[in-house]
Amino acid sequence: MMKKILMSVALLTLFAMGGMAQEAVRLPQPDLSLGTTLTEALQKRRSDRMFQADKPVTDKQLSLLLWAACGINRPDKGLLTIPTAINAQDIEVYVCTAKGVSLYNPKANTLTPVTDQDIRLPLAERQENMATAPVFLLIVSDLSRFRSNAEHYGAMDAGYASQNICLMAAALGLKTVPRAMMNRKAVVEALGLKETQALELNHPIGY
Amino acid sequence: MMKKILMSVALLTLFAMGGMAQEAVRLPQPDLSLGTTLTEALQKRRSDRMFQADKPVTDKQLSLLLWAACGINRPDKGLLTIPTAINAQDIEVYVCTAKGVSLYNPKANTLTPVTDQDIRLPLAERQENMATAPVFLLIVSDLSRFRSNAEHYGAMDAGYASQNICLMAAALGLKTVPRAMMNRKAVVEALGLKETQALELNHPIGY
């Protein structure tokens, strides 16, 4: 009997943790030789709202998008491509695909699996057509890193990361749009987010 | 007597308007042939806090910085280099130098003089060493353009514009840092801002 109970507890724990026990997956190094100029990316920057379901975003593209969003550009100091208020480094980016959700680790350049759930439909919310995008990047701000003005600074820092995603998508010939709309309750539950982890923006990305 | 009173009213009105009666000044067209790649700009993006007082930012550089911040990239539709929440186009950028302050008009690519006052010291606030920067770009959000979540969206949109200023400064070999600190009362008074015009960030820029 005791054995059965322990087994159930173990199974429940595994279930509750979802994919979190899985190992981090290494991303390809971001290919910084990409030739698109800054002004070309700024000229091409636009919001697109229709995505082909059958044309995937490659790991190589993903690596550049994530590096732009909040990657390390000065490895000696651990500093980022984006400034953050009081250097709080509050921005977290989740990669959401049909296979589940992973968290980007800028220092290790890896993805840590968070859940096997496909949350693209809750992210699309009322704009269901968006859910065909092969990948969504979800920008979260860890508000616990601020002592004051957390909500304000979190929003601002999300803007920095989001602009870089817009520009890198444009540079790679990909489409995207930053959106504040999402089914927040469903997303928080699927990812097991804390109250201090604010859902700021999501970016469907594709062709 | 009546004539004298009318004259005084006219003079007072002129005084109250400060330099606002002056004509807008045309900027050079932004030179979109700038060769720096997006990844180079992202690699160089950093916050610098010391500026040479005697090395000016040229009008040509200013034109690119402002175009990046919130310029028009699709003239046929009047759409911008940055996305803004609900396409509110709430971002206003003021150019602050020793000669005074002007407001950037993205559509006309001009600067409208606002005041002859040098507000760089109030912008630097307690970090007085910043005031040596030859130019500050001041990012304001017109919160009256939002029906809800104005403070949140204004902060986010300021982040978009600020990241583009960071990247363009890096691409041009200029230094900058985005700062929320400023003497808000003094700045609001000098520019005659409304309560709904939120002071979001300022960028000292120089060498």
Side-chain angles (χ1 to χ4, degrees), chain B residues 2-16:
Chain B
M2 193 57 187
K3 205 171 165 185
K4 262 195 184 165
I5 289 173
L6 278 177
M7 194 111 109
S8 302
V9 168
L11 280 171
L12 272 170
T13 309
L14 262 179
F15 178 79

Side-chain angles (χ1 to χ4, degrees), chain B:
Chain B
M1 180 65 181
M2 193 57 187
K3 205 171 165 185
K4 262 195 184 165
I5 289 173
L6 278 177
M7 194 111 109
S8 302
V9 168
L11 280 171
L12 272 170
T13 309
L14 262 179
F15 178 79
M17 292 185 63
M20 289 194 73
Q22 289 175 44
E23 264 184 49
V25 178
R26 190 160 296 281
L27 283 163
Q29 277 300 103
D31 176 9
L32 304 183
S33 71
L34 184 75
T36 313
T37 67
L38 173 62
T39 53
E40 282 167 353
L42 285 165
Q43 278 182 285
K44 287 181 188 164
R45 206 295 306 164
R46 50 175 281 172
S47 293
D48 284 299
R49 292 173 175 83
M50 296 288 285
F51 303 93
Q52 291 178 40
D54 55 353
K55 248 188 128 177
V57 172
T58 67
D59 282 355
K60 208 177 149 182
Q61 290 170 326
L62 199 55
S63 163
L64 269 172
L65 288 162
L66 291 165
W67 176 74
C70 64
I72 306 278
N73 71 351
R74 284 153 291 168
D76 52 328
K77 293 175 190 162
L79 292 171
L80 309 181
T81 53
I82 51 165
T84 53
I86 64 160
N87 192 28
Q89 305 201 351
D90 55 308
I91 295 299
E92 300 170 347
V93 180
Y94 292 83
V95 179
C96 314
T97 71
K99 291 183 187 167
V101 181
S102 301
L103 174 62
Y104 173 52
N105 314 300
K107 282 178 189 160
N109 193 40
T110 56
L111 293 178
T112 304
V114 175
T115 174
D116 294 336
Q117 287 178 64
D118 180 357
I119 66 163
R120 290 176 301 160
L121 208 52
L123 287 173
E125 176 66 321
R126 294 196 306 275
Q127 298 173 334
E128 284 173 29
N129 59 308
M130 300 269 183
T132 57
V135 58
F136 277 69
L137 296 185
L138 171 64
I139 302 174
V140 169
S141 167
D142 176 0
L143 301 186
S144 71
R145 301 212 175 189
F146 298 110
R147 271 161 299 177
S148 64
N149 288 325
E151 206 268 343
H152 185 87
Y153 287 147
M156 205 167 248
D157 291 348
Y160 284 103
S162 176
Q163 179 65 22
N164 279 359
I165 293 171
C166 291
L167 292 177
M168 187 54 77
L172 291 167
L174 293 164
K175 293 181 171 184
T176 195
V177 56
R179 306 167 66 245
M181 183 194 289
M182 55 191 119
N183 182 333
R184 291 167 183 270
K185 195 166 167 284
V187 172
V188 163
E189 276 175 16
L191 304 189
L193 296 182
K194 294 179 217 158
E195 251 183 62
T196 46
Q197 287 176 292
L199 296 174
E200 299 285 355
L201 289 165
N202 66 72
H203 274 268
I205 305 182
Y207 289 92

Side-chain angles (χ1 to χ4, degrees), chain A residues 32 36-39 42-43 45-46 73-74 80-83 151-152 155-156 160 162-164 178 200-201, chain B residues 32 36-39 42-43 45-46 73-74 80-83 151-152 155 160 162-164 178 200-201:
Chain A
L32 304 184
T36 313
T37 67
L38 174 60
T39 53
L42 285 164
Q43 278 181 283
R45 206 295 306 162
R46 52 176 279 173
N73 71 350
R74 286 153 291 169
L80 309 183
T81 53
I82 51 164
E151 204 268 343
H152 185 85
M156 205 167 247
Y160 284 103
S162 176
Q163 179 64 22
N164 280 358
E200 300 283 357
L201 289 164
Chain B
L32 304 183
T36 313
T37 67
L38 173 62
T39 53
L42 285 165
Q43 278 182 285
R45 206 295 306 164
R46 50 175 281 172
N73 71 351
R74 284 153 291 168
L80 309 181
T81 53
I82 51 165
E151 206 268 343
H152 185 87
Y160 284 103
S162 176
Q163 179 65 22
N164 279 359
E200 299 285 355
L201 289 165

Side-chain angles (χ1 to χ4, degrees), chain A residues 125-152:
Chain A
E125 176 65 321
R126 292 197 307 275
Q127 297 173 332
E128 283 174 34
N129 59 308
M130 301 267 182
T132 56
V135 58
F136 277 68
L137 296 186
L138 170 65
I139 302 175
V140 169
S141 168
D142 177 0
L143 302 186
S144 72
R145 302 213 173 189
F146 299 109
R147 273 160 300 175
S148 63
N149 287 328
E151 204 268 343
H152 185 85

Side-chain angles (χ1 to χ4, degrees), chain A residues 99-116:
Chain A
K99 288 181 186 168
V101 182
S102 301
L103 174 62
Y104 174 53
N105 315 299
K107 281 176 191 163
N109 192 39
T110 55
L111 292 178
T112 304
V114 174
T115 174
D116 295 337

